[in-house]
Amino acid sequence: MAAIKRRRAALTVRQLVEDYLTHQLTRPVTQVSTRHHLAPLLAMFGGWQARRVGARQVQDFLAAQRDQGVMLTTATHRARLLRTVFSWGVETGRLQASLLAGMRLPRPKARRIEPPTRAEALRMYKVAAPHVRRVIVLGMAAGPRIGPSELFRLRWIDVDLVAAEMHMPNASKGAREDSRLVPIRDDVLPLMRLWAQEDASIGCPWVINWHGRQVRCIGHAWHQARKAAGIARRITPYSLRHAMPTEALEHGADVQAVAEVMGHADPTMLLRVYQHSRYRLRKKAVNAAPGLGIKIKKNE
């Protein structure tokens, strides 16, 4: 018992984080992302005994992040990750207690990125690398999660070009099924047939691929395309998932049907998060109901 207490007392933040990454996170992409976000914290407190790190140290970290120009959303996310690691340490017996338990963190306002318009998406498509072109087309057409959780896992065996439908993999977010049935747009079907022929010739099973290899990230290629298209404002690959319901609902699509295509059990999520109100929609909204019928007389 005394030896266990000594190990707990001597455990450093860096050792605890490495244990968490090794034993708790099984997906490589999650490990890489988590390690990236915890790196600034390890730079400040990595050598500290974990039992001595509390709310005061986290506040110092948030202040340092602010001075470095890091967005509050990102800095807070990193602090939450550290709190999660410490909670895991207590649950697994590595720590006797966590000074971060119950720590309150600021709630930054979410920054909404206006999704790409069809014109912007087309400009990017014209200058993008082939694999990014496919992401743009399927992102705008079907609204999948852009990344290894969904779109990058889509294989040709999941696609039925005769029935014009695909079984899009579902992200691990409480979905009951491994995939969902998504119809392929009529104007996208010829493109997908061409892609299927190209990939069959090299024996590639992945719909999104780079020279036959499965794609894990498109960040660099995406931003190259955005700059080459002359788009200065911030647009991320995930913005395509926002664009699809915005465009679909604007043109009268059924909310429930759009939610099913996107893999949402709750259709109200679309209205809360994904449907971005553009100016022409706002103008249409204020003119939708009959007015008061007030007529201005010439003498007034």
Side-chain angles (χ1 to χ4, degrees), residues 16-207:
L16 181 59
V17 166
E18 288 299 328
D19 280 353
Y20 178 80
L21 292 171
T22 303
H23 299 288
Q24 181 67 10
L25 303 184
T26 57
R27 295 181 58 198
V29 65
T30 308
Q31 286 183 341
V32 171
S33 174
T34 303
R35 186 181 296 277
H36 166 75
H37 282 296
L38 289 175
L41 283 152
L42 293 180
M44 289 186 69
F45 310 117
W48 282 48
Q49 292 177 347
R51 64 189 179 91
R52 296 188 181 279
V53 175
R56 174 61 184 273
Q57 285 69 44
V58 171
Q59 292 301 323
D60 290 343
F61 168 76
L62 293 175
Q65 291 277 281
R66 183 183 64 246
D67 293 342
Q68 294 169 22
V70 178
M71 290 190 303
L72 181 59
T73 304
T74 301
T76 303
H77 171 67
R78 291 169 175 172
R80 285 200 182 96
L81 278 177
L82 186 67
R83 185 173 60 187
T84 299
V85 171
F86 275 49
S87 296
W88 175 83
V90 174
E91 292 170 5
T92 57
R94 288 170 170 80
L95 280 178
Q96 185 172 0
S98 168
L99 293 179
L100 302 184
M103 177 185 63
R104 300 185 66 178
L105 290 166
R107 290 189 176 183
K109 292 183 179 179
R111 292 202 326 165
R112 283 207 167 189
I113 302 173
E114 190 74 13
T117 63
R118 280 171 290 164
E120 288 175 326
L122 184 58
R123 281 161 56 190
M124 286 189 63
Y125 176 87
K126 290 178 178 178
V127 298
H131 65 302
V132 176
R133 286 186 172 189
R134 296 187 184 191
V135 171
I136 292 171
V137 170
L138 294 178
M140 293 289 288
R145 292 175 175 87
I146 310 298
S149 66
E150 289 193 356
L151 183 57
F152 295 172
R153 285 199 291 136
L154 182 67
R155 300 168 298 171
W156 284 113
I157 60 173
D158 302 320
V159 179
D160 188 337
L161 295 174
V162 176
E165 59 190 28
M166 51 189 168
H167 289 270
M168 183 65 67
N170 275 329
S172 301
K173 292 192 173 184
R176 296 178 182 176
E177 306 292 336
D178 293 334
S179 64
R180 61 186 181 275
L181 188 64
V182 178
I184 300 173
R185 280 180 58 106
D186 296 341
D187 57 346
V188 171
L189 189 58
L191 266 177
M192 294 197 71
R193 286 176 177 152
L194 179 61
W195 299 344
Q197 291 174 1
E198 293 173 352
D199 293 347
S201 67
I202 60 174
C204 177
W206 308 103
V207 176

Side-chain angles (χ1 to χ4, degrees), residues 180-259:
R180 61 186 181 275
L181 188 64
V182 178
I184 300 173
R185 280 180 58 106
D186 296 341
D187 57 346
V188 171
L189 189 58
L191 266 177
M192 294 197 71
R193 286 176 177 152
L194 179 61
W195 299 344
Q197 291 174 1
E198 293 173 352
D199 293 347
S201 67
I202 60 174
C204 177
W206 308 103
V207 176
I208 307 299
N209 68 85
W210 175 248
H211 296 301
R213 298 191 298 274
Q214 185 184 16
V215 171
R216 306 297 300 181
C217 178
I218 63 166
H220 180 67
W222 171 271
H223 291 297
Q224 278 189 322
R226 179 179 59 79
K227 292 178 182 177
I231 300 173
R233 72 184 186 90
R234 183 170 179 248
I235 301 175
T236 68
Y238 206 87
S239 301
L240 297 170
R241 180 165 166 83
H242 292 237
M244 183 271 179
T246 299
E247 292 285 346
L249 295 176
E250 179 178 335
H251 289 85
D254 178 73
V255 174
Q256 180 65 43
V258 175

